[in-house]
C-alpha cells in the first residue's frame, strides 16, 4: 500500500508518505523532560516499582489469561466488566464504580493540586457470542481470540496498580484507572464518549492496547460511517416499466462517489463497502442499501468529504425520480459510526514522557502512524492522549488465530508506569509534566 501511494502522488506527497511509511524513530526529548526522567529513575521507590513489575510478570500473564477467558463481545462486556471492577477494588483504589455506559474505574488520589490522568484499557473484543475464548499454550505462546487485544492491556493496567501499591509512591496528580467499553467496531468509542462527557476535568489520557513496548500512537484517524437506503414503489420489470428504481438511484450515487477526490494529505479515504437490494431479476427494485466508510486524519477534511458524499446521495434520489417523472425515490441516511479525528504536536509533553519512558526501560521508541483507538476521543477534544502497548508481542489480532508472546512482556507495564510518574509528578521528586487544563 505504501508503494501505491508513492506512485500516485507528487513530491510533497512522497515526503509525507515516507514520513509515515514506517514508524518515526528520530526525536528530541527536551532537557527538562530528560532531567525529570533522570531524577525519577534514580529514585529507590521508582526502581522498586519497576523491579516489582518485572517480578510480577507471571502473575500479570496469569491474570491476562483469566480475563481473556471471560467473553466480552461488543455491547456485552458486562460480565468481564464486573470481574474487572472487583479486581480494581481488591487493589485498594478509591470509589470504584461502574458508570451507566458500563465502564468501570477507580481512583488513586494524588497529594493534591496536580493534573488528573486517566489510564484505560478496553474491555470489549471484536468476537461474537459463542466464540471459543479458552487460552491454548504452545511453544511459549498464548493462543486465543482477544488474548492480546485487549486482555494484555487490562492485565498490564492491574499490574501497574500493584506496582504503585508495592512501591509506596505518592503522585502529585490523581490517577483514574479504567476498563472501558465500546472501543471496537460498532462500539464506536461509546465508553470514551461517556467518560469524557461525565468527567470534564481530565487533563490527559493513556490507553494501553494490545502488545508492544516501543510504539507510541498520538494521531487519531477519524471515521464516519453511514448506512444509506433508497426506497421506491417497486413493481414488475415489464408491466410497471416507467417507475423509478431504488437500485438505479443507488447506482447513480455510487458512480459519482467513485469519482470523489479527497486530499492525499491529510490522508482522507472513502469506500462503499457493502451493497444489497432488490428482490428479483424481473422486478424494479423497491429497496437498495449501501454502507459507506469515510476516514481522515483531520476532522475538517473528514467533514468536507462527508458533506460532498451525502449531497451526492440525496441528489441521486432526485435524479432517478426526475428521470421517470412519476413516483418518488426517497433516501434514508443513517449514521452507524462516528469516531472523531485529531492531531496533537508530536513534541507535546505527553509524547515526550512516553518517549523518555521507553528509552528509560532500554527500548527503542517510535512514533506510530495515525490510527483509530480510544485516544481519538480525547485527542479530538484537545486533551493530550496516547495509545501504547502492554508489552510482549502479538499478531493476528481480530482473528481467531490471535496470539501473544509473553517474552519480556513486563517492559510494557514498566514503560506505562514511568510515563504515568512523569506526567502525574512524584511527591518530593518531580513536578508533573502534564499541564492542568483548568
Ligand atoms: Zn484494541
Amino acid at each position: 500500500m505504501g508503494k501505491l501511494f508513492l506512485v500516485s502522488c507528487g513530491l510533497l506527497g512522497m515526503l509525507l508518505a515516507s514520513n509515515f511509511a514506517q514508524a518515526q524513530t528520530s526525536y528530541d526529548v527536551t532537557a527538562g523532560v530528560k532531567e525529570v526522567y533522570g531524577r525519577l529513575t534514580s529514585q529507590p521507590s521508582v526502581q522498586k516499582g519497576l523491579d516489582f513489575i518485572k517480578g510480577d510478570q507471571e502473575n500479570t500473564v496469569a491474570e491476562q489469561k483469566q480475563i481473556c477467558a471471560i467473553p466480552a463481545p461488543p455491547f456485552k462486556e458486562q460480565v468481564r466488566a464486573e470481574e474487572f471492577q472487583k479486581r480494581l477494588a481488591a487493589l485498594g483504589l478509591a470509589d470504584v464504580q461502574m458508570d451507566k455506559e458500563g465502564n468501570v474505574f477507580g481512583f488513586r488520589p494524588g497529594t493534591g493540586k496536580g493534573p488528573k490522568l486517566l489510564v484505560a484499557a478496553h474491555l470489549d473484543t471484536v468476537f461474537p457470542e459463542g466464540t471459543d475464548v479458552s487460552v491454548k499454550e504452545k511453544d511459549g505462546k498464548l493462543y486465543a481470540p482477544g488474548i492480546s487485544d485487549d486482555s494484555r492491556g487490562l492485565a498490564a493496567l492491574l499490574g501497574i496498580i500493584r506496582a504503585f501499591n508495592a512501591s509506596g509512591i505518592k503522585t502529585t496528580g490523581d490517577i483514574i484507572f479504567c476498563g472501558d467499553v465500546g472501543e471496537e467496531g460498532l462500539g464506536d468509542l461509546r465508553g470514551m464518549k461517556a467518560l469524557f462527557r461525565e468527567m470534564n476535568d481530565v487533563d490527559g489520557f493513556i490507553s494501553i492496547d494490545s502488545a508492544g513496548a516501543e510504539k507510541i500512537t498520538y494521531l487519531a484517524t477519524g471515521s464516519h460511517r453511514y448506512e444509506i437506503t433508497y426506497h421506491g414503489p417497486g413493481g414488475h420489470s415489464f408491466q410497471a416499466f416507467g417507475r423509478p428504481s431504488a437500485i438505479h438511484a443507488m447506482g447513480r450515487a455510487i458512480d459519482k462517489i467513485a469519482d470523489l477526490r479527497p486530499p492525499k494529505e491529510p490522508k482522507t479515504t472513502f469506500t462503499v463497502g457493502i451493497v444489497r437490494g432488490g428482490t428479483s431479476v424481473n422486478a424494479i427494485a423497491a429497496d437498495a442499501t449501501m454502507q459507506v466508510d469515510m476516514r481522515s486524519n483531520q476532522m475538517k477534511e473528514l467533514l468536507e468529504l462527508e458533506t460532498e458524499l451525502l449531497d451526492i446521495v440525496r441528489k441521486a434520489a432526485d435524479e432517478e425520480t426526475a428521470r421517470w417523472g412519476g413516483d418518488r425515490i426517497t433516501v434514508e441516511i443513517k449514521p452507524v459510526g462516528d469516531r472523531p479525528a485529531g492531531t496533537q504536536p508530536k513534541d507535546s509533553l505527553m509524547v515526550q514522557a512516553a518517549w523518555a519512558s521507553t528509552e528509560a526501560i532500554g527500548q527503542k521508541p517510535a512514533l506510530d502512524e495515525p490510527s483509530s483507538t480510544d485516544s481519538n476521543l480525547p485527542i479530538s477534544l484537545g486533551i493530550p492522549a496516547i495509545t501504547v502497548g502492554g508489552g510482549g508481542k502479538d499478531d493476528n489480532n481480530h482473528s481467531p488465530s490471535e496470539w501473544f508472546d509473553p517474552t519480556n512482556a513486563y517492559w510494557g507495564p514498566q514503560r506505562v508506569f514511568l510515563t504515568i510518574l512523569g506526567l502525574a509528578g512524584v511527591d518530593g521528586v518531580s513536578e508533573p509534566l502534564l499541564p492542568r487544563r483548568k
Side-chain angles (χ1 to χ4, degrees), residues 122 149 183-184 209:
H122 66 87
D149 188 6
E183 194 268 348
E184 303 283 10
D209 200 339

Side-chain angles (χ1 to χ4, degrees), residues 294 302-312 314:
M294 291 172 263
L302 180 60
L303 293 174
E304 282 169 4
L305 173 66
E306 178 181 85
T307 303
E308 216 179 333
L309 189 142
L310 294 182
D311 191 46
I312 288 171
R314 288 187 200 97

